[in-house]
Amino acid sequence: MKTISSFNFAGKKAVIRVDFNVPLNDKFEITDETRIKATIPTITKILKDGGSAVLMSHLGRPKGGPEDKFSLKHLVKRLSEVFGVQVKFAPDCIGDEAVSMAAALKPGEILLLENLRFYKEEEKGDVDFAKKLARYGDVWVNDAFGTAHRAHASTAVMGQFFKDKVCGKVMQDELDNAEKVLGNPDRPFTAIMGGAKISDKIQVMERLLDKVDNLIIGGGMSYTFVKANGGNIGKSICEKDKLDLALDIIKKAEQKGIKLYFPADSMIADDFKNDANKKVVAKGEIPEGWEGLDIGPKAIEEFSKVIENSKTVMWNGPMGVFEMPNFAVGTEAIAKAVVKATEKGAYSLIGGGDSASAINNLGFGEKVSYVSTGGGALLEYLEGKELPGVTALKS
C-alpha cells in the first residue's frame, strides 16, 4: 500500500474518504471531535505538499434522502477553524455544483461534499455512483478506518477508478496498532470485553483465546455467562439462545490455559434508570425484579489488579450502563486501571465505540497508547476478516 508519508501530493487533487460521523447536540454542535482531529495529519500533509482536498463522509443514518439533522454543513465552521482555511461546502455530493467546485479548487484549499448516505447507492456499493465520486480528483485517499469493513461506493468500490491509491494516516495507525496485539504482544496480555451482547463479540473472543493470557468479561454480556453456569441474574440482560456458546467459551479458555475473569459482584438496580434503588450483590445472587447495571467493588479491585500487572491491554466495551453516572463507576475504574498499566510501560489499545467515548470523556485519551476510531471495523479486523476498504487500497 502507498502511505501518506511516501506520496507527494504537489499539484494533486486528493479525494479523501474520511469518517466524520461525529455526534452532534440539539444545536448541531460537535460533542466529540476525536474523529475530526484524527484526520489532521493526513489532510495537513496533502495541503502542505501543495495539493487540494475533496473530503467525503457520511453522518448518521438518513432514512431515504436528505435530512437537515444529518447534513455535513453543520461541520463546516468547526472544520474551517481546525484546518485554518475556509472549508468550501458542496450541498450535493454528486451534483453539477460539486463538480464545478472541485474543478475550481486551488492548492491548499478544502472542499467538503454533502453526506454520501443521502444517496442509497453509497451503501449499496453502486459502481456508477462510485465513478461519479471519482471524478473529483486524481488520487484516492482512504482514511476512514471506521467504515473499512463496509464495501460501500466511497470506502472501497471507487478505488478501481484510480491509479494512485493512498492509505491515510488514520487507516495506517489503526492497522499498525491492531497488529501490535495480534502479532507478538508483550506478556501478560489481557483483553477486557464488555458491552451488552456476546453475539456482537463472539468471534473476536474466540480468536483472542489463541492470543491472550487473561480475558476479563464484564458489562451486560457477563450475565449470560453467569446464567449459563446456573447463577441467578434477576431481570438482567441475557441472551438465552447463547447459553451453550457461553459454556463453550469457558471450556475453550480452560483447555488453552487462559485465565477467565467474571465480575465477583454487581451493582444492581430495581429499575433501568439512574436514580433507581441500588445495592451490591455477589455473582449469581441477583434477586427477581432487580438487574445488574455495573460491576461491583470486588470486581473492580480484582480486574484492576490483573490489568495493572499486564504488559499488553486491549479493551472493548463498557463494564456497565456508563451513560448513567450512578452506574459508570466500573467503567471509570477500568479506564483508570488501563492508564496505570500504560504508565508502568504497558501497551494499551482502546477499541472504538463506547470504550473510546469513556476514555476520551474522562480526559484519558492521551494517557493510553492508542484509541481506535473504528468500533465494528476494529472488531472485524481482530476477528481475522478481510476489510474491503483495506483490500481496495492494495489492488
Side-chain angles (χ1 to χ4, degrees):
M1 284 192 296
K2 290 190 180 89
T3 60
I4 201 80
S5 58
S6 65
F7 194 87
N8 187 351
F9 290 89
K12 299 282 188 183
K13 203 163 284 180
V15 183
I16 315 167
R17 179 45 158 105
V18 290
D19 183 4
F20 284 170
N21 185 28
V22 294
L24 303 174
N25 62 20
D26 55 7
K27 293 178 183 173
F28 301 112
E29 295 164 332
I30 303 161
T31 56
D32 184 350
E33 296 186 348
T34 305
R35 287 176 171 171
I36 289 173
K37 287 180 176 174
T39 65
I40 291 174
T42 293
I43 296 169
T44 303
K45 164 73 163 68
I46 291 165
L47 301 184
K48 277 190 174 175
D49 277 0
S52 55
V54 179
L55 309 180
M56 51 180 66
S57 179
H58 73 285
L59 176 64
R61 298 176 183 272
K63 291 289 188 286
E67 292 180 60
D68 183 69
K69 66 179 178 178
F70 295 129
S71 175
L72 286 169
K73 70 183 181 186
H74 303 302
L75 276 55
V76 172
K77 181 174 179 288
R78 185 64 188 128
L79 289 175
S80 299
E81 293 167 354
V82 168
F83 293 106
V85 297
Q86 181 56 51
V87 173
K88 302 172 190 297
F89 180 68
D92 185 348
C93 64
I94 57 168
D96 291 339
E97 188 176 354
V99 173
S100 59
M101 287 179 81
L105 213 57
K106 295 180 178 66
E109 293 185 336
I110 299 174
L111 170 66
L112 174 67
L113 303 180
E114 181 57 286
N115 194 337
L116 297 165
R117 290 191 185 172
F118 284 170
Y119 287 88
K120 62 183 184 298
E121 289 86 351
E122 160 65 2
E123 291 182 90
K124 287 182 176 179
D126 185 87
V127 176
D128 289 335
F129 184 72
K131 194 173 183 178
K132 287 177 182 175
L133 295 175
R135 293 178 298 175
Y136 298 125
D138 37 33
V139 52
W140 179 55
V141 179
N142 194 351
D143 211 21
F145 181 77
T147 54
H149 57 316
R150 309 289 187 206
H152 294 170
S154 68
T155 62
V157 180
M158 68 184 286
Q160 66 189 277
F161 300 109
F162 291 89
K163 181 172 74 71
D164 289 323
K165 293 175 277 194
V166 180
C167 180
K169 183 76 164 54
V170 173
M171 182 79 79
Q172 190 69 56
D173 285 351
E174 292 277 1
L175 297 173
D176 289 348
N177 280 279
E179 283 303 321
K180 284 182 183 175
V181 298
L182 288 175
N184 190 22
D186 289 339
R187 298 191 179 280
F189 174 15
T190 298
I192 310 151
M193 303 301 289
K197 296 178 178 179
I198 295 179
S199 51
D200 292 340
K201 313 273 172 84
I202 179 60
Q203 287 174 299
V204 74
M205 274 196 281
E206 288 190 329
R207 192 164 192 227
L208 286 171
L209 289 177
D210 291 324
K211 306 280 182 184
V212 302
D213 301 293
N214 308 303
L215 178 57
I216 293 172
I217 296 176
M221 70 165 69
S222 67
Y223 301 111
T224 300
F225 285 92
V226 174
K227 177 79 171 175
N229 268 332
N232 293 318
I233 61 166
K235 61 175 183 177
S236 304
I237 187 169
C238 176
E239 291 179 279
K240 290 176 182 173
D241 61 334
K242 298 290 184 291
L243 298 179
D244 288 341
L245 196 59
L247 291 173
D248 189 47
I249 290 171
I250 293 169
K251 186 180 175 184
K252 283 179 181 174
E254 286 173 358
Q255 289 171 345
K256 293 173 186 286
I258 309 300
K259 288 185 180 175
L260 207 51
Y261 294 88
F262 296 104
D265 54 357
S266 292
M267 180 64 73
I268 65 170
D270 61 357
D271 200 358
F272 191 79
K273 56 186 182 183
N274 187 54
D275 59 355
N277 295 309
K278 60 189 176 89
K279 61 182 177 181
V280 176
V281 298
K283 180 175 74 175
E285 295 182 12
I286 301 177
E288 285 303 312
W290 291 69
E291 60 189 313
L293 297 184
D294 197 5
I295 58 174
K298 285 182 182 174
I300 288 172
E301 186 180 356
E302 183 180 32
F303 290 0
S304 297
K305 190 175 179 182
V306 174
I307 294 162
E308 287 169 31
N309 289 320
S310 300
K311 291 293 183 189
T312 303
V313 180
M314 199 280 287
W315 179 24
N316 185 283
M319 295 292 101
V321 188
F322 79 111
E323 299 88 349
M324 299 181 193
N326 284 338
F327 304 103
V329 178
T331 299
E332 290 178 10
I334 295 309
K336 287 173 183 173
V338 174
V339 168
K340 273 191 184 174
T342 312
E343 287 171 346
K344 287 163 69 175
Y347 169 79
S348 52
L349 172 63
I350 311 302
D354 290 337
S355 309
S357 295
I359 282 282
N360 289 324
N361 290 341
L362 289 165
F364 295 160
E366 300 297 318
K367 295 181 179 180
V368 294
S369 304
Y370 191 73
V371 181
S372 174
T373 58
L378 178 66
L379 282 179
E380 290 200 15
Y381 192 74
L382 293 173
E383 286 166 14
K385 290 180 180 173
E386 195 172 275
L387 304 185
V390 176
T391 304
L393 287 166
K394 295 175 179 175
S395 56

